[in-house]
Amino acid sequence: MSKTCEICGKHPRSGHTISHAHNVSNRIFYPNLRTIKALVNGATKRIKICMKCLKATAKT
């Protein structure tokens, strides 16, 4: 679970890269993860969260 947000559970998704000539090849879309230090159950812990969750927690 190294490329998964620990708050919302966002993980890599699969899709296609399509060129101008419509050549289709497989690719993976990774979430924009950042490692932060956060208080979890009263202890400081390093967690990986996506930027959407980071922005949401900064507003509260």
Side-chain angles (χ1 to χ4, degrees), residues 5-6 12 14 16-17 20 25 28 31 33 36 40-41 47 49:
C5 177
E6 296 185 25
S14 61
H16 298 290
T17 299
H20 184 70
S25 59
I28 298 175
L33 297 179
I36 64 162
V40 178
N41 297 328
I47 60 172
I49 64 172

Side-chain angles (χ1 to χ4, degrees), residues 7 35-49:
I7 294 178
T35 303
I36 64 162
K37 291 180 182 177
L39 279 174
V40 178
N41 297 328
T44 304
K45 185 180 173 186
R46 296 178 73 99
I47 60 172
K48 289 185 179 180
I49 64 172

Side-chain angles (χ1 to χ4, degrees), residues 3-59:
K3 294 181 180 178
T4 303
C5 177
E6 296 185 25
I7 294 178
C8 66
K10 190 179 287 187
H11 57 86
R13 308 280 181 179
S14 61
H16 298 290
T17 299
I18 302 179
S19 69
H20 184 70
H22 205 73
N23 297 327
V24 178
S25 59
N26 295 329
R27 64 161 291 182
I28 298 175
F29 295 91
Y30 293 104
N32 189 8
L33 297 179
R34 295 292 175 260
T35 303
I36 64 162
K37 291 180 182 177
L39 279 174
V40 178
N41 297 328
T44 304
K45 185 180 173 186
R46 296 178 73 99
I47 60 172
K48 289 185 179 180
I49 64 172
C50 63
M51 287 304 295
K52 189 171 183 179
C53 293
L54 183 63
K55 288 165 75 175
T57 57
K59 289 182 180 180

